[in-house]
Amino acid sequence: MSSSSMKDQFMELLAEPRKVLEWSWNFIAFISLIIAIMAVVTAAELDDTLKGFGFGAIWTMFLIIFLVLLGQYVLGGSARGLVGDVKSKYATPLLTGFWLGTTFMLSVAFFILGCVYAAFDDDSVKTLGAFYIMQFFFLGFFSIYAMLKRSYVYSTSYEGESEVEVDKNSVSSNPEPSNPEWEQNAVVVEPN
């Protein structure tokens, strides 16, 4: 395979933001799986005096699992991953915004945890801290890119059709509603 064909394939991939989002999210999900395993190992290796670090590692593992499942659900059927071939009919702009906001906020939390864990003496905790800092960059860049391209997340699954039909004949051409009580109690103030 020549480098020019690889470059062409890469440029084709970049031309489709939906695929970029899916591939990058699947990469983040894979790294998150590694971090979850490392969190369990780190929590098991810590002695009893450092239970807080173990709790932080396990709690972060649950947050990572939640975030990955939510991301797979929002991306839907074309992101065949942990939850299978889901038709993402509920990937509304609201759910997409919630997912992307959660992704960004967890990236900040990973940065703080990564700094705390990287300053620790134990090698396994330092390694987990390094992975937390990597996850900060992955999630941070992903959330910024996905916020810029968020319409590609729900454009294929969300029809945007309103369930409430508006009768155009019932809409008045007068933008101000008429209220007789308001007109009676109105006070006119004249400028000086």
Side-chain angles (χ1 to χ4, degrees), residues 12-185:
E12 287 176 18
L13 177 67
L14 288 180
E16 298 180 40
R18 173 81 182 188
K19 283 190 177 180
V20 172
L21 290 170
E22 292 170 2
W23 279 84
S24 58
W25 185 253
N26 287 331
F27 174 73
I28 288 173
F30 176 71
I31 297 296
S32 298
L33 177 67
I34 293 171
I35 290 175
I37 292 169
M38 288 180 62
V40 171
V41 170
T42 301
E45 287 183 358
L46 292 175
D47 58 358
D48 290 340
T49 60
L50 302 170
K51 287 185 179 183
F53 283 100
F55 174 78
I58 296 298
W59 181 250
T60 307
M61 178 197 67
F62 287 128
L63 291 176
I64 288 172
I65 291 170
F66 169 74
L67 184 67
V68 167
L69 291 176
L70 182 63
Q72 295 291 5
Y73 180 76
V74 169
L75 287 176
S78 55
R80 289 167 186 85
L82 298 176
V83 292
D85 190 12
V86 176
K87 300 300 180 204
S88 187
K89 64 181 180 179
Y90 299 111
T92 62
L94 179 66
L95 186 60
T96 302
F98 175 76
W99 171 55
L100 294 176
T102 304
T103 302
F104 184 76
M105 294 308 294
L106 279 179
S107 74
V108 174
F110 282 129
F111 178 70
I112 293 169
L113 284 171
C115 291
V116 169
Y117 280 46
F120 200 68
D121 292 336
D122 190 43
D123 286 339
S124 65
V125 178
K126 279 186 180 181
T127 306
L128 184 61
F131 269 90
Y132 282 166
I133 291 175
M134 281 181 10
Q135 189 77 335
F136 158 70
F137 286 112
F138 292 150
L139 290 177
F141 290 137
F142 176 81
S143 63
I144 291 169
Y145 178 76
M147 283 180 200
L148 294 174
K149 304 290 183 182
R150 66 187 170 272
S151 63
Y152 290 98
V153 174
Y154 53 81
S155 65
T156 58
S157 59
Y158 178 69
E159 278 107 28
E161 296 174 358
S162 175
E163 294 180 10
V164 179
E165 292 292 326
V166 177
D167 184 15
K168 294 180 181 176
N169 297 330
S170 67
V171 178
S172 171
S173 62
N174 184 7
E176 295 183 21
S178 174
N179 188 347
E181 291 179 17
W182 181 79
E183 291 172 359
Q184 284 180 344
N185 297 331

